Amino acid sequence: MSNTQKTTLFSAIKIGNTTLENRVGLAPMTRTSATENGLATEEMAQYYANFARGGFGLVMTEGTYTDENYSQGYSNQPGIATAEQTNSWKKSGNCCP
């Protein structure tokens, strides 16, 4: 990797109204960490927080299902189909900046 590529990779970038500290992103890695009824867990929050603290500019969450009838692909997949599922993604602020 050339110095120019390193400079670009580790330099900030603005995308819309969001500024990322660098151009390194992390794709979703967990797949079956939610509860049986699709709620995000503290384990998931800590998993993503550890990557965020590790210096990634962008950390994506895993694939979620958006309706209860057709889009769930596997057991213990997190959902955003209900208010309870959506609210389970909101944490008390103890994990992430």
Side-chain angles (χ1 to χ4, degrees), residues 16-69:
N17 293 328
T18 303
T19 301
L20 304 178
E21 290 185 32
N22 59 58
R23 298 162 191 232
V24 180
L26 177 71
M29 304 287 279
T30 63
R31 286 289 183 242
T32 57
S33 301
T35 65
E36 193 172 296
N37 58 346
L39 303 179
T41 64
E42 182 62 27
E43 176 187 17
M44 291 166 58
Q46 288 303 314
Y47 175 85
Y48 290 117
N50 288 338
F51 281 111
R53 287 187 200 105
F56 289 93
L58 176 67
V59 178
M60 294 179 224
T61 61
E62 57 203 277
T64 58
Y65 61 94
T66 57
D67 70 78
E68 295 185 281
N69 296 321

